[in-house]
Amino acid sequence: MTKKSVILLENVSKTYPLYHHIQGGLKNFLLRLPKALKSTIETKFEALSNISLSIQQGETFGIIGKNGAGKSTMLGLMAGVLKPTSGRLMIDGRISPLLELGGGFHLELSGMENIMLNGVLLGMTRAEVKKRIGEIIEFSGLSDFIDQPIRTYSSGMLARLGFSVIVHLDPEIFLIDEILGVGDMSFQKKCLEKMMGFKTKGVTMVFVSHSISEIEKICDRVCWIENHCVKMIGSVSEVVPAYSATMND
Amino acid sequence: MRLTYYRDLILVLTQKEMQVRYKNTFLGYLWSVAQPLALAFVFFVAFKVVMRINVPNYTLFLITALFPWQWFSNSVTSANGVFIGNASIIKKINFPRYSLVIANICQDSIHFFLAIPALLIFMLYYRIWPHWSWFYGIPVLFVIQFITTFGLSLIVASLNLFFRDLERLTSIFVMLLFYCTPIIYPADMIPEKFRCFLNFNPVAPLMVNWRNLFLEGHMDVFYMLISLLYGLGFMSLGVFIYKKLSYRFAEVL
Ligand SMILES: Nc1ncnc2c1ncn2[C@@H]1O[C@H](COP(=O)(O)OP(=O)(O)OP(=O)(O)O)[C@@H](O)[C@H]1O
Ligand SMILES: [Mg+2]
């Protein structure tokens, strides 16, 4: 295998400083400067520690783990939304992130306006979004609701909108954080078909999910994160049974 | 290509801001004229009717500086909410975050431009005619005010994520600045020995120039240079703070 790796993490760690002074405000911070400084330096939370992995071009890579293990943090790092505290992170290609429900949308705007907003934020020009807007609405199946503000949408409808915009972007590297779970059967099927299509086209995908069956269906390799560290990386048939076994007790 | 993209990004974000705030464009237009005019009316009653300030054409005198000031103060005050109000976008997509600040300023500057016809009506009423120098004067002052506002907004928007009480401090600061700037009174009413302090006020030279431009069709070159220096200074500071903090935005939202 001499395929080039498009995502590379070398000893990546991510700590969140716990900014207590956010609640206290500037006044408290200045009034108690030495103590406040000390506490921001000392109280840190390590969400990911020393992660090394590489994902090849065209691979479908799954990430599994318990709640709070650090999966979303990992995708946030890959999407460039978060910056690693230490270590090296290399991304080669255009990232299309679909991180959690309603991300990249504004609740007060209509579905239509949000497609434009989201498309432009993700790197398309207005002309490019306009060219695809018909397809996007069609794929989402939301044409009856497209002029409603999306705060009235159900979670499944939000997932439909988000997924529809992003798959019409010609993604090179596609990041998905458990979003399909809220869609109904027919939409989940449509999404999986779309992702299978991407797979044959050679799009790299990183897929976070709690649905083991979905992971088994589309992933080539899986990374299991436990306690903010990599517990295991390998093929689906190695990692998934080991992970499932710990879930039962 | 990249430039088209940035233009579209700012355009869509500005449009979004308008849609979120006003729902429909007509209401937005009404607001852009009504808000500064209402304020002007209050000052007119207080200073002309009650305190009998001795300034000819006081209404016009007032709004020629009040309109640009409203743009400045609205932008800087609302900068506090720019990143917080767009948390759902910032946490999920990596795009240039400062574009949100630019869109916020563009939004208020549109209101400023939309209010200029109202200013023209007052000018015609007082038989003062627009001057040719507006054609270069307005763009020059616009750019200076834009970079000043951009710098201050970046500082406020970035720091407010880390110190959430900054919002209150900003409104106090903006209010103090308002009364220290010759907007409701002419600069020459300030006692001689204090007048040099005007140059320490980062927006006073700018506002005085707007008024001179609108009323007399000329700008004070010295004031223009000072306000440009302030603008560049704030912009550098703003960009510096933004660069230091922007990679943390998604963590603290
Ligand atoms: N902005 C933040 N500030 C401080 N701590 C955070 C922040 N974001 C996440 N964390 C912490 O980092 C840890 C990992 O969070 P993350 O969202 O990556 O979990 P996850 O694996 O996606 O969980 P889930 O399966 O529930 O989605 C959690 O313990 C969480 O408390
Ligand atoms: Mg998560």
Side-chain angles (χ1 to χ4, degrees), chain A residues 66-73 100 177-178 208 210:
Chain A
K66 288 190 193 130
N67 291 136
K71 305 180 295 297
S72 301
T73 305
E100 284 166 40
D177 196 344
E178 45 191 340
V208 170
H210 290 295

Side-chain angles (χ1 to χ4, degrees), chain B residues 186-234:
Chain B
D188 49 26
M189 262 178 81
I190 304 172
E192 191 77 52
K193 58 181 175 193
F194 295 126
R195 212 169 298 163
C196 59
F197 286 108
L198 221 50
N199 293 331
F200 294 107
N201 177 337
V203 288
L206 185 64
M207 296 303 153
V208 169
N209 256 343
W210 276 115
R211 172 174 287 149
N212 288 346
L213 180 70
F214 282 132
L215 290 182
E216 289 149 29
H218 77 85
M219 291 180 291
D220 184 320
V221 176
F222 175 66
Y223 276 176
M224 197 170 87
L225 289 179
I226 302 184
S227 51
L228 182 63
L229 277 183
Y230 273 119
L232 293 175
F234 282 126

Side-chain angles (χ1 to χ4, degrees), chain B residues 165-208:
Chain B
D165 60 351
L166 196 67
E167 190 157 8
R168 260 165 271 161
L169 290 179
T170 318
S171 42
I172 295 172
F173 169 78
V174 168
M175 192 182 67
L176 281 178
L177 199 60
F178 175 76
Y179 289 102
C180 295
T181 307
I183 295 170
I184 46 179
Y185 53 87
D188 49 26
M189 262 178 81
I190 304 172
E192 191 77 52
K193 58 181 175 193
F194 295 126
R195 212 169 298 163
C196 59
F197 286 108
L198 221 50
N199 293 331
F200 294 107
N201 177 337
V203 288
L206 185 64
M207 296 303 153
V208 169

